[in-house]
């Protein structure tokens, strides 16, 4: 059994009608290409200090019509095959710069009948990407893998209410 079901949501640049074309693709081959994102910039601006309201507005705008239907079907598959774990990747087209300014990490989704934050659950890891002209890089194949790790441990952490890192 896989750890997660995978879902990629692609949002293209705004079309002549003022909508953003949306595509959804899942690791099981499900593909929907006729979605439309309809943003109400005024309502989003008014809700920017209320994470709950903002997340719900993004949900209503993104998960509509065929995209909602595909998302629910993929969610049901994830519930039966991966105990509800669904990895969501949001790919924003580089030519839709205005979408990069939105806090997509506030996006809500429907899970087990409840509407809640998508990006705050271990069951639904969320990543946001921009489109790129080059192909994805291949994973590093050589071993051992060498990493450089740096840890900051400022002297004034306790005055900020933080615990210093135990360097030992």
């Amino acid at each position: 059994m896989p750890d997660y079901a995978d879902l990629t949501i692609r949002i293209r640049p705004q079309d002549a009608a003022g909508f953003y074309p949306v595509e959804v693709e899942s690791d099981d081959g499900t593909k929907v290409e006729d979605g439309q994102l309809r943003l109400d910039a005024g309502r989003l601006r008014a809700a920017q200090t209320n994470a709950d309201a903002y997340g719900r507005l993004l949900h209503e705008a993104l998960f509509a019509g065929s995209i909602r239907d595909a998302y629910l079907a993929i969610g049901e598959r994830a519930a039966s095959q991966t105990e509800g774990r669904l990895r969501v990747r949001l790919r924003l087209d580089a030519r839709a710069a205005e979408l990069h300014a939105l806090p997509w990490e506030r996006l809500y989704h429907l899970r087990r009948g409840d509407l809640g934050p998508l990006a705050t659950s271990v069951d639904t890891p969320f990543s946001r990407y921009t489109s790129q002209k080059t192909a994805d890089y291949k994973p590093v194949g050589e071993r051992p893998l060498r990493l450089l790790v740096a840890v900051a441990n400022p002297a004034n952490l306790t005055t900020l209410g933080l615990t210093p890192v135990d360097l030992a």
Side-chain angles (χ1 to χ4, degrees):
M1 172 168 49
D3 290 341
Y4 290 92
D6 286 305
L7 172 71
T8 300
I9 302 170
R10 289 182 188 88
I11 305 177
R12 306 276 184 218
Q14 198 170 30
D15 62 19
F19 302 122
Y20 296 90
V22 179
E23 301 171 3
V24 168
E25 188 171 358
S26 177
D27 59 343
D28 71 347
T30 300
K31 191 167 188 173
V32 175
E33 298 176 318
D34 64 348
Q36 291 183 327
L37 173 65
R38 303 169 187 201
L39 292 175
D40 184 333
R43 288 180 69 198
L44 284 171
R45 239 186 330 276
Q48 66 186 354
T49 60
N50 182 332
D52 180 64
Y54 200 96
R56 289 173 186 274
L57 287 171
L58 282 178
H59 168 82
E60 291 170 12
L62 181 59
F63 296 118
S66 62
I67 300 300
R68 178 194 59 239
D69 297 343
Y71 187 81
L72 292 175
I74 293 164
E76 287 176 16
R77 182 178 61 85
S80 67
Q81 295 179 1
T82 62
E83 298 176 353
R85 292 185 301 273
L86 177 65
R87 182 180 294 114
V88 178
R89 293 179 175 102
L90 179 66
R91 288 196 180 271
L92 301 173
D93 193 287
R95 295 167 295 163
E98 65 280 9
L99 294 180
H100 296 281
L102 299 179
W104 288 98
E105 292 72 18
R106 291 184 177 183
L107 178 65
Y108 271 39
H109 75 128
L110 192 61
R111 182 165 185 264
R112 298 182 182 148
D114 293 323
L115 196 60
L118 172 69
T120 60
S121 171
V122 296
D123 289 337
T124 54
F126 175 81
S127 303
R128 174 180 13 173
Y129 299 88
T130 186
S131 60
Q132 56 186 9
K133 293 180 181 177
T134 60
D136 289 338
Y137 294 101
K138 296 195 184 302
V140 175
E142 62 185 63
R143 300 285 188 259
L145 192 62
R146 295 172 24 141
L147 301 172
L148 172 64
V149 177
V151 177
N153 200 18
N156 65 339
L157 286 176
T158 54
T159 60
L160 299 171
L162 301 171
T163 305
V165 175
D166 181 5
L167 297 176

